[in-house]
Amino acid sequence: MAAFSVFRQSSCRFRCFFANSAISLKNVGNNSTIIKDFVREMGTHKRTLVITPSRFQWKKFKDSFHFYTMLGVIPLGSIIFLTNIFVGPAELAEIPEGYEPKHWEYYDHPIKRFFSRYIYKTEQEHYEKYLHWICAVDEMKQMKLIEARVRDLMAERQDYKGWYYQPVTGKYHRIVREDEERIMKDYLGQN
């Protein structure tokens, strides 16, 4: 109902929705011209709507940042806090005879031990991967040297087909030739 009352009030007086029109009431001699400033008046008061840039994106970014930060900070912070309170750092002790410690037992903090045991690779694995890489690179180097040597010898002697040459069999050519000869004999023999 409030919307209808606004329409009723605005229809009583001459109002226009265009802002900043320089029109005023002037009396010039006998000619009186009615010119009015067009200003959007909301209802009966002279309140104007100030247009400001939207802060929606900033507020959305801020809310998302706080949400995802707290989504990670609260659980991780509580895990770290409880681990430090209830488990604590490891203490040095004598190693029994014949026992070889696992690779994760060398770290003092329980979180470091967890990551070393379940997530990170061991030093031995890193070393073996590096050795495999060295072996693969060495094999590729040896193959390239052998290929270069073969090409040089083939170019020097020119007495062998290329190592990439695939011989063509003459089997099908002989079959076709035999068929042609038989057909020609039959044809010529009948004439």
Side-chain angles (χ1 to χ4, degrees):
M1 296 312 288
F4 294 122
S5 63
V6 169
F7 290 137
R8 189 184 48 196
Q9 290 174 0
S10 65
S11 65
C12 297
R13 286 180 257 137
F14 176 71
R15 305 233 190 276
C16 187
F17 296 105
F18 303 108
N20 298 329
S21 296
I23 302 174
S24 61
L25 179 63
K26 295 182 180 177
N27 289 327
V28 181
N30 290 339
N31 300 334
S32 73
T33 57
I34 300 176
I35 303 172
K36 190 164 178 119
D37 269 334
F38 298 132
V39 177
R40 171 79 168 110
E41 297 175 4
M42 299 178 200
T44 57
H45 356 74
K46 293 255 183 192
R47 289 187 299 173
T48 58
L49 178 64
V50 180
I51 299 173
T52 58
S54 173
R55 297 179 57 88
F56 175 75
Q57 287 296 330
W58 166 247
K59 289 181 180 178
K60 184 174 179 170
F61 166 75
K62 203 168 49 171
D63 290 343
S64 297
F65 179 76
H66 286 124
F67 174 72
Y68 289 113
T69 301
M70 290 301 132
L71 190 68
V73 168
I74 290 175
L76 290 178
S78 61
I79 288 172
I80 292 170
F81 177 74
L82 294 174
T83 302
N84 285 330
I85 293 295
F86 292 111
V87 178
E91 296 177 3
L92 290 176
E94 290 293 323
I95 298 175
E97 288 295 324
Y99 177 73
E100 185 176 344
K102 306 290 185 194
H103 67 276
W104 64 85
E105 294 176 351
Y106 290 106
Y107 296 99
D108 61 340
H109 199 271
I111 295 176
K112 287 182 185 176
R113 285 196 303 262
F114 176 82
F115 277 102
S116 175
R117 183 174 184 179
Y118 295 110
I119 295 173
Y120 298 146
K121 305 278 188 223
T122 64
E123 290 297 323
Q124 182 178 357
E125 287 179 73
H126 284 296
Y127 182 69
E128 289 177 4
K129 282 169 50 178
Y130 178 67
L131 288 179
H132 174 70
W133 179 75
I134 288 176
C135 181
V137 168
D138 187 49
E139 285 178 5
M140 286 174 34
K141 179 181 167 189
Q142 292 297 326
M143 288 300 295
K144 286 181 182 178
L145 287 174
I146 291 171
E147 285 181 16
R149 178 75 176 144
V150 166
R151 285 188 181 146
D152 290 342
L153 288 173
M154 284 169 39
E156 177 186 323
R157 297 179 185 165
Q158 295 182 355
D159 62 347
Y160 194 77
K161 296 178 183 176
W163 58 273
Y164 50 83
Y165 177 76
Q166 295 178 355
V168 178
T169 62
K171 172 182 166 184
Y172 299 108
H173 295 291
R174 285 191 292 274
I175 293 172
V176 169
R177 189 180 312 139
E178 289 171 2
D179 287 345
E180 283 180 3
E181 290 174 0
R182 192 179 68 244
I183 291 172
M184 290 303 286
K185 281 182 186 179
D186 293 341
Y187 179 74
L188 291 176
Q190 292 175 357
N191 287 339

